[in-house]
Amino acid sequence: MSTRYPFTAVVGMDDLRLALLLNAVSPAVGGVLVRGEKGTAKSTAVRALADLLPVVPVVAGCRFSCDPSSPDAGCPDGPHDAAHGTERSARMVELPVGASEDRLVGALDIEKALAEGVKAFEPGLLAAAHRGILYVDEVNLLSDHLIDHLLDAAAMGASHVEREGVSVRHAARFLLVGTMNPEEGELRPQLLDRFGLTVEVAASRVPEQRVEVVRRRLAFEDDPAAFAARWAGEEADLRERIIAARDLLPKVVLGDAALLQIAATCAAFEVDGMRADIVMARAATALAAWAGRTEVTSEDVRQAALLALPHRRRRNPFDAPGLDEDKLDETLEQFKGEEPQTDPDEDPEPDGPGDGGPGDGGPGGGGIPPQGEGPAPESDGVPEETPAEAPAPAPQGSGAGERAAVQAAEPFRTKMLSVPGLGEGAAGRRSRARTEHGRTTGATRPRGALTKLHLAATVQAAAPHQRARGRTGPGLVVRRDDLRQATREGREGNLVLFAVDASGSMAARQRMSAVKGAVLSLLLDAYQRRDKVGLITFRGRTADLALPPTSSVDAAAARLEKLPTGGRTPLSAGLLKAHDVLRIERLRDPSRRPLLVVVTDGRATGGGADPVALAARAARLHAAEGTASVVVDCETGHVRLGLAGSLARELGGTAVTLDELRADSIAGLVRDVQAEQTTRRAA
């Protein structure tokens, strides 16, 4: 077994360490979601937590980790009457992003179940994680159907496997910990709410801390065992503190005053549902136990709010998670009751892993202050710009005619645009596709392991051979060749590539505001339908790939917000850039079908001697490859040239105005896209 990096050797990241330790003290808090940029030791800290958890008593030989003192009556390996108990270390089970459904929930041997009536069940990762940690790295990239199983197990504390009348249930209570990079996309709101606490992490900007991080990491990689031995004492002390806090937890009193502050805080921040109140109450109680107190204070409530509420404040993917601390303090002060008396000898602040831990001068520590404290970096005399104040880099081709970026209009609900035909891409909610989940449309012989049995087709295939196989009783004699896999149709996610005209003809302030509002609306729709998105802008002389295809629609929204306008309209350059991007993406992910959305008034005034002809030729490249496309016509005024419609015909797609994009009158837009695509192919 490889040596893990010690938890107490992690430098800085106080909030992350505290959130993980609170869940170690009280698993009922509900887990942790760790959000942050790449390379910030998110996974290192999470994996190190497993070594700090107390041992788990289990029934000897039980694959489902039943507790000997209260075994699960419905355990598939049971019953466990007068079971012999043993102890093992707490498990940390990792769920890979590309895991199959059978790997997560377990697999039934359907052939044996039909032929012999035996429930032959192979437990999955949910069973392995019972009474331990289920860790999902890059949780925001997890497939929807796996997320659904996680939601069910987290809500019920059990996993159910139901297939063709064969049913298996087992307990699955675990500490759910996920890490993610927000640049790669956000989580579904339902899963986001299942994480009790959330923490934002970032690399320290204090040079001394960064030096210490590098020093410790290099020492660990040179000799992992020796490095772990140096921190063994602090690891043991922290493990004992966790056990002491667990023992104290049932004695902690959550008074009416603290409970009122919790309820008032959740109401003031308008969080949905009651889960936030419950999580805050459990987190505040765990904070008190961690600090060695038996009563919850206002500071516990405040710290619990900072950990439990930020991710529950998001209303759409364009909202940044966060909490107004001034508003939080005002609410707590307004509903402040009598504070419990604290012992002057007690430590009133619920700190991280404890005195002498990381950053406090432990072995190799050097007294590094926690992140955000200590001396500020020396200034060079130039005022530092905040990210919001920093000017955006000027795009290529900008000139004197450039206009500043305008604010987008309010997003609205759009009609669904889809790709014609039947795909086989990643599960989503946009276009028709063959999927593992959905309505059954037929049956076929299985390729590899059978996952979705088509019972009627299997019986029909086996029935003619019963006499030849010597059937004498009521049972059906089923062979491997008789099994039939159900083919199902559902929805897939697509790659929605936006090509946005930012030229001078689009630069009227009110008009560009409406265009940005429409694109934001389509981005929100793409988020809800589990699409990847990309953003191309064209103006002046060239086209720029503002955002390569990604699952992060909020990143696309941020780039769109800073988009300036002005200059000529290199429409051909925008279409050719889109063609190059789609060509590369087909190589990377051939099963994900693209949808090109061109947002323009159709004018072509740059890019060569005959820009209109060049734009038409570029459009025909997309049509020749069968790329589904929609042109959002931004032309306004009483006299319209209809150039966007002509562009749509060259693309083999359809055109829709900004007004039609949200009006009920385009209920048949998808049918129009499909009809025009079919007509063009027939021609």
Side-chain angles (χ1 to χ4, degrees), residues 160-175:
H160 294 262
V161 182
E162 302 276 351
R163 289 187 183 169
E164 285 74 33
V166 181
S167 175
V168 174
R169 173 209 166 275
H170 64 83
R173 293 183 296 276
F174 46 80
L175 172 61

Side-chain angles (χ1 to χ4, degrees), residues 22 76 134 191 229 247 281 298 331 354 358 379 416 423 453 499 588 590 597 632 638:
L22 291 180
L134 181 61
L191 183 57
D247 292 339
S298 290
T331 303
S379 171
M416 186 178 76
L453 178 74
R588 289 177 177 168
V597 179
V632 180
H638 297 294

Side-chain angles (χ1 to χ4, degrees), residues 234-543:
E234 299 214 15
E235 292 278 292
D237 291 343
L238 188 54
R239 194 176 295 109
E240 290 300 321
R241 186 174 176 185
I242 292 172
I243 294 173
R246 281 189 172 188
D247 292 339
L248 183 62
L249 187 66
K251 304 173 186 176
V252 176
V253 177
L254 180 64
D256 290 342
L259 200 52
L260 180 60
Q261 284 186 317
I262 291 171
T265 300
C266 292
F269 285 98
E270 300 178 350
V271 296
D272 295 332
M274 295 297 297
R275 184 172 284 116
D277 304 62
I278 296 171
V279 170
M280 273 189 65
R282 289 171 174 165
T285 304
L287 281 161
W290 179 247
R293 289 184 270 100
T294 56
E295 289 187 88
V296 175
T297 67
S298 290
E299 183 58 33
D300 295 330
V301 175
R302 185 182 191 278
Q303 184 67 53
L306 292 174
L307 294 173
L309 296 187
H311 60 302
R312 294 184 166 89
R313 291 273 299 143
R314 290 173 65 95
R315 291 294 181 266
N316 64 62
F318 309 140
D319 293 338
L323 213 61
D324 185 342
E325 294 194 33
D326 291 337
K327 181 178 179 180
L328 174 61
D329 291 336
E330 290 173 6
T331 303
L332 293 175
E333 185 64 31
Q334 180 182 354
F335 290 90
K336 186 176 183 179
E338 279 192 36
E339 282 292 310
Q341 297 296 318
T342 58
D343 189 328
D345 293 332
E346 287 181 350
D347 179 7
E349 293 294 329
D351 47 31
D355 298 335
D360 293 324
I368 302 299
Q371 186 170 336
E373 299 180 9
E378 293 184 6
S379 171
D380 58 4
V382 180
E384 184 179 352
E385 289 181 320
T386 64
E389 297 168 339
Q396 279 187 300
S398 60
E402 179 178 302
R403 303 191 185 188
V406 299
Q407 188 174 4
E410 190 70 20
F412 52 86
R413 186 175 182 83
T414 66
K415 297 295 183 180
M416 186 178 76
L417 310 176
S418 68
V419 178
L422 192 64
E424 295 183 344
R429 299 182 179 179
R430 184 172 297 278
S431 305
R432 293 174 56 224
R434 298 183 185 91
T435 61
E436 287 292 321
H437 302 270
R439 64 186 182 90
T440 300
T441 58
T444 185
R445 291 180 181 272
R447 293 178 295 179
L450 179 73
T451 55
K452 301 292 182 183
L453 178 74
H454 194 297
L455 185 58
T458 298
V459 172
Q460 187 176 9
H465 309 290
Q466 296 306 294
R467 180 176 297 178
R469 292 173 183 174
R471 172 184 167 185
T472 57
L476 189 67
V477 181
V478 179
R479 301 281 172 82
R480 174 69 186 176
D481 290 343
D482 301 328
L483 298 180
R484 295 295 182 268
Q485 176 88 14
T487 58
R488 301 190 175 189
E489 182 178 313
R491 293 279 172 177
E492 67 177 359
N494 297 110
L495 166 59
V496 183
L497 181 62
F498 294 91
V500 180
D501 184 350
S503 63
S505 64
M506 303 280 289
R509 186 165 294 268
Q510 186 175 1
R511 183 179 180 186
M512 197 61 196
S513 176
V515 168
K516 285 188 175 182
V519 177
L520 281 178
S521 304
L522 291 168
L523 284 172
L524 183 58
D525 181 68
Y527 165 76
Q528 294 168 340
R529 299 189 187 283
R530 311 288 177 263
D531 295 317
K532 289 179 68 175
V533 296
L535 178 63
I536 291 171
T537 62
F538 53 96
R539 56 184 290 271
R541 298 177 182 176
T542 60

Side-chain angles (χ1 to χ4, degrees), residues 4-302:
R4 289 195 182 102
Y5 191 90
F7 188 86
T8 48
V10 175
V11 178
M13 298 197 295
D14 296 341
D15 287 345
L16 171 58
R17 291 183 289 135
L18 178 59
L20 291 172
L21 289 168
L22 291 180
N23 277 274
V25 171
S26 175
V29 168
V32 186
L33 174 64
V34 188
R35 299 164 47 93
E37 58 197 23
K38 53 188 177 294
T40 50
K42 302 185 297 293
S43 300
T44 299
V46 173
R47 292 188 175 101
L49 178 66
D51 291 335
L52 297 175
L53 298 181
V55 296
V56 179
V58 296
V59 173
C62 178
R63 298 175 298 165
F64 301 88
S65 302
C66 283
D67 188 343
S69 61
S70 57
D72 182 8
C75 175
D77 283 355
H80 300 302
D81 297 329
H84 172 66
T86 185
E87 290 185 343
R88 63 163 173 77
S89 301
R91 290 174 180 159
M92 192 194 70
V93 177
E94 295 194 39
L95 173 60
V97 169
S100 66
E101 180 182 342
D102 285 348
R103 185 73 186 97
L104 177 64
V105 302
L108 283 171
D109 189 332
I110 300 296
E111 183 177 0
K112 187 174 289 187
L114 286 175
E116 304 175 22
V118 176
K119 294 182 182 179
F121 181 69
E122 183 66 29
L125 296 178
L126 290 178
H130 179 47
R131 304 177 67 199
I133 301 172
L134 181 61
Y135 171 49
V136 189
D137 194 13
E138 306 293 354
V139 63
N140 50 324
L141 303 182
L142 202 62
S143 300
D144 270 5
H145 68 283
L146 296 183
I147 288 178
D148 291 337
H149 288 297
L150 276 182
L151 290 175
D152 290 342
M156 299 183 294
S159 175
H160 294 262
V161 182
E162 302 276 351
R163 289 187 183 169
E164 285 74 33
V166 181
S167 175
V168 174
R169 173 209 166 275
H170 64 83
R173 293 183 296 276
F174 46 80
L175 172 61
L176 182 61
V177 180
T179 55
M180 61 175 283
N181 184 348
E183 293 178 355
E184 296 174 339
E186 286 294 343
L187 282 174
R188 286 170 52 180
Q190 296 94 328
L191 183 57
L192 198 62
D193 191 47
R194 288 294 177 187
F195 288 97
L197 310 179
T198 186
V199 177
E200 296 278 342
V201 297
S204 172
R205 299 297 182 256
V206 179
E208 292 82 3
Q209 269 199 335
R210 297 177 74 97
V211 167
E212 188 59 28
V213 170
V214 175
R215 181 183 292 126
R216 294 186 187 184
R217 189 69 206 184
L218 292 178
F220 173 75
E221 292 176 356
D222 288 342
D223 192 343
F227 184 84
R230 290 169 54 194
W231 292 88
E234 299 214 15
E235 292 278 292
D237 291 343
L238 188 54
R239 194 176 295 109
E240 290 300 321
R241 186 174 176 185
I242 292 172
I243 294 173
R246 281 189 172 188
D247 292 339
L248 183 62
L249 187 66
K251 304 173 186 176
V252 176
V253 177
L254 180 64
D256 290 342
L259 200 52
L260 180 60
Q261 284 186 317
I262 291 171
T265 300
C266 292
F269 285 98
E270 300 178 350
V271 296
D272 295 332
M274 295 297 297
R275 184 172 284 116
D277 304 62
I278 296 171
V279 170
M280 273 189 65
R282 289 171 174 165
T285 304
L287 281 161
W290 179 247
R293 289 184 270 100
T294 56
E295 289 187 88
V296 175
T297 67
S298 290
E299 183 58 33
D300 295 330
V301 175
R302 185 182 191 278

Side-chain angles (χ1 to χ4, degrees), residues 255 286 290 576 669:
W290 179 247
L576 290 174
L669 177 60

